[in-house]
Amino acid sequence: MFTVTYRIRRKDGAYVWLETTSRTIRDADGQVVEIIAASRDVTERKATEEKLEMLANHDPLTAVFNRRRFTEALAQMLAEARRYKLSGVLLMLDLDGFKQINDRLGHLHGDRALVRLAKELVKSTRECDVIGRLGGDEFGVILPHLNAKQAEVVAARLLKRAQRTLRIKHEAAAIQVTASVGLALFPEHADRPNDLLAAADLAMYRAKGKGGNGFRWAAVRG
Protein backbone atom coordinates (compact mmCIF):
# COMPACT_ATOMS: atom_id res chain seq x y z
CA MET A 1 0.00 0.00 0.00
CA PHE A 2 1.29 3.45 -0.80
CA THR A 3 0.02 7.01 -0.58
CA VAL A 4 0.73 9.98 -2.83
CA THR A 5 -0.29 13.61 -2.45
CA TYR A 6 -0.65 15.80 -5.51
CA ARG A 7 -2.33 18.94 -6.79
CA ILE A 8 -4.83 19.14 -9.64
CA ARG A 9 -6.63 21.97 -11.37
CA ARG A 10 -10.40 21.80 -11.56
CA LYS A 11 -12.46 22.89 -14.56
CA ASP A 12 -13.28 26.18 -12.80
CA GLY A 13 -9.55 26.96 -12.58
CA ALA A 14 -9.20 26.34 -8.84
CA TYR A 15 -6.43 24.09 -7.53
CA VAL A 16 -7.12 21.34 -5.01
CA TRP A 17 -4.85 18.89 -3.21
CA LEU A 18 -5.72 15.20 -3.29
CA GLU A 19 -4.31 12.31 -1.30
CA THR A 20 -4.64 8.92 -2.97
CA THR A 21 -3.98 5.64 -1.20
CA SER A 22 -3.58 2.53 -3.36
CA ARG A 23 -3.06 -1.13 -2.70
CA THR A 24 -2.67 -4.08 -5.01
CA ILE A 25 -4.49 -7.40 -4.97
CA ARG A 26 -2.42 -10.36 -6.14
CA ASP A 27 -3.36 -13.88 -7.11
CA ALA A 28 -1.79 -17.08 -5.83
CA ASP A 29 1.11 -16.68 -8.25
CA GLY A 30 1.86 -13.16 -7.02
CA GLN A 31 0.54 -11.46 -10.14
CA VAL A 32 -1.35 -8.17 -9.74
CA VAL A 33 -5.00 -8.73 -10.58
CA GLU A 34 -6.52 -5.60 -9.15
CA ILE A 35 -5.58 -2.17 -7.83
CA ILE A 36 -7.82 -0.53 -5.27
CA ALA A 37 -7.44 3.21 -4.78
CA ALA A 38 -9.22 5.78 -2.69
CA SER A 39 -8.76 9.55 -2.86
CA ARG A 40 -9.70 12.38 -0.55
CA ASP A 41 -9.52 16.16 -0.71
CA VAL A 42 -6.76 17.44 1.63
CA THR A 43 -6.70 21.05 0.40
CA GLU A 44 -7.60 22.47 3.81
CA ARG A 45 -4.95 20.38 5.54
CA LYS A 46 -2.28 21.46 3.04
CA ALA A 47 -3.24 25.11 3.53
CA THR A 48 -2.84 24.70 7.29
CA GLU A 49 0.54 22.99 6.86
CA GLU A 50 1.78 25.73 4.55
CA LYS A 51 0.61 28.41 6.97
CA LEU A 52 2.39 26.72 9.88
CA GLU A 53 5.57 26.38 7.83
CA MET A 54 5.33 30.04 6.87
CA LEU A 55 4.94 31.10 10.52
CA ALA A 56 7.84 28.88 11.60
CA ASN A 57 10.30 30.31 9.07
CA HIS A 58 9.17 33.85 8.29
CA ASP A 59 8.69 37.08 10.15
CA PRO A 60 4.90 37.53 10.46
CA LEU A 61 5.05 41.27 9.74
CA THR A 62 7.40 41.53 6.76
CA ALA A 63 7.23 37.95 5.37
CA VAL A 64 11.03 37.72 5.04
CA PHE A 65 12.95 35.06 6.97
CA ASN A 66 12.91 35.30 10.76
CA ARG A 67 16.16 35.30 12.71
CA ARG A 68 16.21 31.53 13.29
CA ARG A 69 15.66 30.65 9.65
CA PHE A 70 18.07 33.36 8.47
CA THR A 71 20.78 31.99 10.76
CA GLU A 72 20.16 28.49 9.39
CA ALA A 73 20.51 29.79 5.83
CA LEU A 74 23.72 31.58 6.79
CA ALA A 75 25.14 28.40 8.34
CA GLN A 76 24.34 26.47 5.15
CA MET A 77 25.91 29.18 2.99
CA LEU A 78 29.08 29.19 5.09
CA ALA A 79 29.31 25.39 4.93
CA GLU A 80 29.08 25.53 1.14
CA ALA A 81 31.66 28.31 1.05
CA ARG A 82 34.11 26.21 3.07
CA ARG A 83 33.50 23.13 0.94
CA TYR A 84 33.76 24.78 -2.46
CA LYS A 85 36.10 27.64 -1.46
CA LEU A 86 33.51 30.30 -2.25
CA SER A 87 33.12 33.79 -0.81
CA GLY A 88 30.34 36.19 -0.01
CA VAL A 89 29.19 39.04 2.19
CA LEU A 90 26.86 39.41 5.13
CA LEU A 91 25.12 42.80 5.22
CA MET A 92 23.42 44.06 8.38
CA LEU A 93 21.07 47.05 8.11
CA ASP A 94 19.63 48.96 11.05
CA LEU A 95 17.48 52.09 10.85
CA ASP A 96 18.60 55.46 12.22
CA GLY A 97 15.98 57.40 14.14
CA PHE A 98 13.21 54.90 13.51
CA LYS A 99 11.86 55.66 16.98
CA GLN A 100 10.58 58.97 15.58
CA ILE A 101 7.98 57.18 13.49
CA ASN A 102 6.68 55.10 16.38
CA ASP A 103 6.71 58.04 18.80
CA ARG A 104 5.13 60.65 16.52
CA LEU A 105 2.87 58.54 14.31
CA GLY A 106 2.31 55.36 16.27
CA HIS A 107 3.44 51.76 15.89
CA LEU A 108 1.00 51.10 13.05
CA HIS A 109 2.88 53.56 10.83
CA GLY A 110 6.15 52.08 12.05
CA ASP A 111 5.04 48.60 11.05
CA ARG A 112 3.94 49.84 7.64
CA ALA A 113 7.35 51.43 7.13
CA LEU A 114 9.09 48.15 7.97
CA VAL A 115 6.89 46.28 5.50
CA ARG A 116 7.72 48.79 2.76
CA LEU A 117 11.42 48.54 3.57
CA ALA A 118 11.37 44.73 3.45
CA LYS A 119 9.69 44.83 0.04
CA GLU A 120 12.30 47.31 -1.15
CA LEU A 121 15.11 45.03 0.05
CA VAL A 122 13.60 42.13 -1.88
CA LYS A 123 13.25 44.22 -5.05
CA SER A 124 16.80 45.57 -4.74
CA THR A 125 18.58 42.23 -4.37
CA ARG A 126 19.04 39.08 -6.43
CA GLU A 127 16.97 35.92 -6.19
CA CYS A 128 19.94 34.06 -4.72
CA ASP A 129 20.33 36.60 -1.90
CA VAL A 130 18.73 35.83 1.46
CA ILE A 131 16.88 38.48 3.47
CA GLY A 132 15.79 38.26 7.08
CA ARG A 133 14.38 40.45 9.80
CA LEU A 134 16.65 39.88 12.76
CA GLY A 135 14.62 41.88 15.26
CA GLY A 136 13.03 45.30 15.62
CA ASP A 137 14.23 47.46 12.76
CA GLU A 138 17.31 45.35 11.98
CA PHE A 139 17.59 43.32 8.77
CA GLY A 140 20.21 40.96 7.43
CA VAL A 141 21.09 40.18 3.81
CA ILE A 142 23.32 37.31 2.69
CA LEU A 143 25.08 38.15 -0.58
CA PRO A 144 26.73 35.00 -1.94
CA HIS A 145 29.50 35.14 -4.56
CA LEU A 146 30.13 38.88 -4.18
CA ASN A 147 33.46 40.56 -3.49
CA ALA A 148 34.00 43.66 -1.35
CA LYS A 149 33.66 46.15 -4.22
CA GLN A 150 30.42 44.60 -5.44
CA ALA A 151 29.01 44.50 -1.91
CA GLU A 152 29.71 48.21 -1.46
CA VAL A 153 27.63 48.93 -4.57
CA VAL A 154 24.78 46.93 -3.06
CA ALA A 155 25.15 48.68 0.30
CA ALA A 156 25.05 52.14 -1.30
CA ARG A 157 21.97 51.18 -3.30
CA LEU A 158 20.14 49.84 -0.24
CA LEU A 159 20.99 52.96 1.77
CA LYS A 160 19.54 55.14 -0.98
CA ARG A 161 16.42 53.00 -1.29
CA ALA A 162 15.91 53.00 2.49
CA GLN A 163 16.21 56.78 2.64
CA ARG A 164 13.68 57.18 -0.16
CA THR A 165 11.29 54.59 1.27
CA LEU A 166 11.39 55.99 4.80
CA ARG A 167 10.67 59.64 4.06
CA ILE A 168 7.23 60.03 5.61
CA LYS A 169 5.17 63.20 5.38
CA HIS A 170 3.24 64.03 8.53
CA GLU A 171 1.07 67.12 8.74
CA ALA A 172 3.30 70.08 7.82
CA ALA A 173 6.59 68.29 8.47
CA ALA A 174 8.40 65.27 7.08
CA ILE A 175 10.07 62.50 9.05
CA GLN A 176 13.27 61.27 7.43
CA VAL A 177 14.71 57.97 8.58
CA THR A 178 18.02 56.65 7.23
CA ALA A 179 19.94 53.42 7.73
CA SER A 180 23.33 52.21 8.89
CA VAL A 181 24.95 49.18 7.29
CA GLY A 182 27.65 46.81 8.51
CA LEU A 183 29.46 44.52 6.08
CA ALA A 184 31.44 41.36 6.78
CA LEU A 185 33.16 39.13 4.23
CA PHE A 186 33.13 35.38 4.59
CA PRO A 187 35.36 33.60 5.22
CA GLU A 188 37.79 36.52 5.73
CA HIS A 189 36.05 38.15 8.70
CA ALA A 190 34.51 34.97 10.13
CA ASP A 191 33.42 31.55 8.97
CA ARG A 192 30.88 30.71 11.68
CA PRO A 193 27.33 32.13 11.73
CA ASN A 194 27.36 33.75 15.17
CA ASP A 195 30.87 35.15 14.67
CA LEU A 196 29.96 36.61 11.29
CA LEU A 197 26.73 38.11 12.63
CA ALA A 198 28.67 39.68 15.51
CA ALA A 199 31.29 41.10 13.14
CA ALA A 200 28.71 42.65 10.81
CA ASP A 201 26.69 43.93 13.77
CA LEU A 202 29.72 45.66 15.24
CA ALA A 203 30.52 47.24 11.87
CA MET A 204 26.94 48.45 11.61
CA TYR A 205 27.16 50.16 15.01
CA ARG A 206 30.40 51.80 13.91
CA ALA A 207 28.52 53.22 10.92
CA LYS A 208 25.78 54.40 13.24
CA GLY A 209 28.37 56.02 15.50
CA LYS A 210 29.66 58.00 12.53
CA GLY A 211 26.27 59.63 12.08
CA GLY A 212 24.43 56.92 10.19
CA ASN A 213 23.31 56.82 6.57
CA GLY A 214 26.50 54.99 5.62
CA PHE A 215 28.30 51.67 5.81
CA ARG A 216 31.40 50.28 7.48
CA TRP A 217 33.37 47.07 7.11
CA ALA A 218 34.06 44.62 9.89
CA ALA A 219 37.61 44.45 11.20
CA VAL A 220 39.79 41.64 9.90
CA ARG A 221 40.16 38.97 12.56
CA GLY A 222 43.60 38.62 14.07
Side-chain angles (χ1 to χ4, degrees):
M1 185 169 62
F2 62 92
T3 301
V4 294
T5 304
Y6 52 96
R7 192 177 71 161
I8 64 171
R9 187 176 184 179
R10 299 189 315 203
K11 290 183 178 180
D12 63 2
Y15 286 96
V16 296
W17 284 92
L18 297 179
E19 184 177 85
T20 299
T21 300
S22 305
R23 68 185 182 93
T24 56
I25 305 298
R26 298 176 183 273
D27 61 18
D29 296 324
Q31 298 299 314
V32 176
V33 296
E34 187 178 3
I35 297 176
I36 300 175
S39 299
R40 60 174 178 163
D41 188 331
V42 294
T43 304
E44 186 175 343
R45 190 192 76 190
K46 289 292 292 184
T48 300
E49 291 173 353
E50 291 172 359
K51 183 177 181 179
L52 290 174
E53 183 179 1
M54 175 72 179
L55 292 174
N57 294 310
H58 295 79
D59 173 56
L61 176 65
T62 61
V64 299
F65 277 170
N66 57 27
R67 188 180 187 94
R68 180 194 60 79
R69 184 65 185 86
F70 181 85
T71 304
E72 289 178 353
L74 180 60
Q76 181 179 358
M77 196 77 68
L78 292 177
E80 291 178 359
R82 287 193 296 270
R83 181 175 181 180
Y84 299 108
K85 300 189 183 307
L86 303 175
S87 62
V89 177
L90 172 63
L91 181 151
M92 299 274 281
L93 181 148
D94 187 85
L95 299 182
D96 308 316
F98 182 70
K99 191 172 181 292
Q100 297 180 70
I101 298 178
N102 287 331
D103 289 349
R104 294 174 61 180
L105 304 182
H107 288 276
L108 180 60
H109 282 82
D111 287 348
R112 288 174 178 169
L114 292 176
V115 171
R116 289 201 305 272
L117 177 61
K119 290 180 178 178
E120 197 65 39
L121 293 177
V122 172
K123 287 195 302 183
S124 303
T125 52
R126 305 166 298 172
E127 286 189 12
C128 65
D129 299 332
V130 179
I131 302 168
R133 183 185 178 198
L134 307 185
D137 55 349
E138 184 177 67
F139 292 83
V141 184
I142 306 171
L143 303 167
H145 316 304
L146 290 193
N147 58 35
K149 185 176 181 180
Q150 293 168 327
E152 289 183 355
V153 172
V154 175
R157 180 168 68 244
L158 294 184
L159 287 170
K160 185 179 295 185
R161 297 286 178 85
Q163 186 174 24
R164 184 184 65 189
T165 302
L166 298 173
R167 181 176 175 81
I168 301 173
K169 292 183 179 180
H170 176 56
E171 297 176 350
I175 299 175
Q176 179 65 71
V177 174
T178 59
S180 294
V181 166
L183 298 167
L185 283 166
F186 57 85
E188 287 86 346
H189 292 126
D191 58 2
R192 302 293 177 185
N194 289 338
D195 294 339
L196 194 66
L197 285 165
D201 196 55
L202 183 59
M204 180 268 294
Y205 276 105
R206 286 176 50 229
K208 195 176 288 288
K210 293 292 184 179
N213 196 28
F215 63 85
R216 290 290 185 276
W217 280 100
V220 178
R221 54 183 174 179

